[in-house]
Amino acid sequence: MKKLPLILSIISLAGVVALAVLSFVNNSNGTSKGKSNTGSESGEIKIAYIQTDSVLVNYNLAIDLHKDFMSQQQQYNSEFGRKRESLERQAAAFQEKLQRGGFLTEERAMSERDKILGQEEEIRRMDYELTNKLGQMEASINQRLADSIVSYVKEYNKKHNFTYILSNSGNIVVGDQNFNITKDILDGLNSRYS
């Protein structure tokens, strides 16, 4: 099975965090125009940012979940490896027996070959299923981390009243909708297009 490098996992997790954050910003109604405790009421814009890659590498929940994931991946790889080795031994034994004429009939040889081909198909199916399980597990971990991070950022911002909290890649984590010009830009682009 293919190894899932730590760097790619972190990059995909950062992407999931960014998507979750953007979803939060688009659905957020916690920073409405009537609130007096935002910095934007006085014209002041308070911006902060988070280095998401650093958070993901140093967040204890992320570390524990990564260890669990790697343990499960190792278990799946071991199970798959054992079955693959067994199949390879059976195929080699079949080939050797075939070459020295160890089968009494051609039908017996074909039956043995079909059995090995069936096991090979089973191994491919197992590889597919294990890869899917690992992918689902990774997606679940990424979602859990994204939810945890966004939830904490919301709580943190209740005390600090930032207008925007960005990730170091420029994605908005928390934003005052008064400064969201997405609709105006989209309307202008659509108008120009038509």
Side-chain angles (χ1 to χ4, degrees):
M1 284 186 3
K2 298 175 186 165
K3 298 275 185 193
L4 298 175
L6 174 63
I7 294 172
L8 292 177
S9 295
I10 290 174
I11 290 171
S12 68
L13 179 59
V16 169
V17 169
L19 288 174
V21 165
L22 288 174
S23 174
F24 158 71
V25 169
N26 289 336
N27 294 328
S28 175
N29 58 11
T31 54
S32 63
K33 294 179 183 181
K35 292 201 175 204
S36 61
N37 62 351
T38 62
S40 60
E41 290 291 324
S42 64
E44 175 188 347
I45 297 177
K46 290 175 61 178
I47 299 174
Y49 73 95
I50 300 169
Q51 292 181 323
T52 49
D53 52 347
S54 179
V55 169
L56 295 174
V57 170
N58 295 302
Y59 184 23
N60 288 335
L61 176 62
I63 292 168
D64 292 342
L65 291 174
H66 179 72
K67 285 179 187 175
D68 292 344
F69 176 79
M70 295 305 290
S71 172
Q72 190 68 48
Q73 183 182 30
Q74 181 62 36
Q75 182 182 349
Y76 286 164
N77 285 339
S78 295
E79 179 182 349
F80 179 78
R82 282 191 305 273
K83 290 196 177 196
R84 187 78 183 149
E85 287 174 14
S86 174
L87 176 64
E88 288 172 0
R89 282 192 305 272
Q90 289 176 12
F94 169 77
Q95 188 65 31
E96 181 183 323
K97 189 174 182 180
L98 184 64
Q99 287 176 349
R100 62 183 163 94
F103 292 102
L104 296 176
T105 65
E106 187 176 327
E107 290 82 27
R108 178 70 180 128
M110 291 179 73
S111 172
E112 188 68 26
R113 181 202 64 187
D114 290 346
K115 178 182 167 190
I116 290 173
L117 290 176
Q119 289 175 341
E120 187 173 345
E121 181 60 34
E122 184 181 323
I123 292 288
R124 273 190 240 128
R125 195 171 29 254
M126 180 184 183
D127 182 29
Y128 177 78
E129 289 172 3
L130 293 179
T131 300
N132 280 342
K133 281 182 185 178
L134 288 172
Q136 290 171 355
M137 185 178 181
E138 184 177 24
S140 173
I141 288 169
N142 289 346
Q143 185 62 50
R144 184 173 171 190
L145 287 172
D147 291 347
S148 176
I149 291 168
V150 170
S151 173
Y152 180 77
V153 169
K154 287 179 189 178
E155 283 299 314
Y156 179 87
N157 199 43
K158 286 179 183 177
K159 296 176 187 168
H160 295 85
N161 298 314
F162 287 106
T163 309
Y164 296 103
I165 298 177
L166 309 170
S167 74
N168 57 327
S169 59
N171 298 312
I172 296 175
V173 176
V174 173
D176 184 340
Q177 291 299 306
N178 292 327
F179 296 99
N180 184 353
I181 62 169
T182 304
K183 185 176 179 345
D184 294 336
I185 298 295
L186 183 59
D187 290 345
L189 287 170
N190 286 333
S191 175
R192 185 178 77 176
Y193 179 74
S194 54

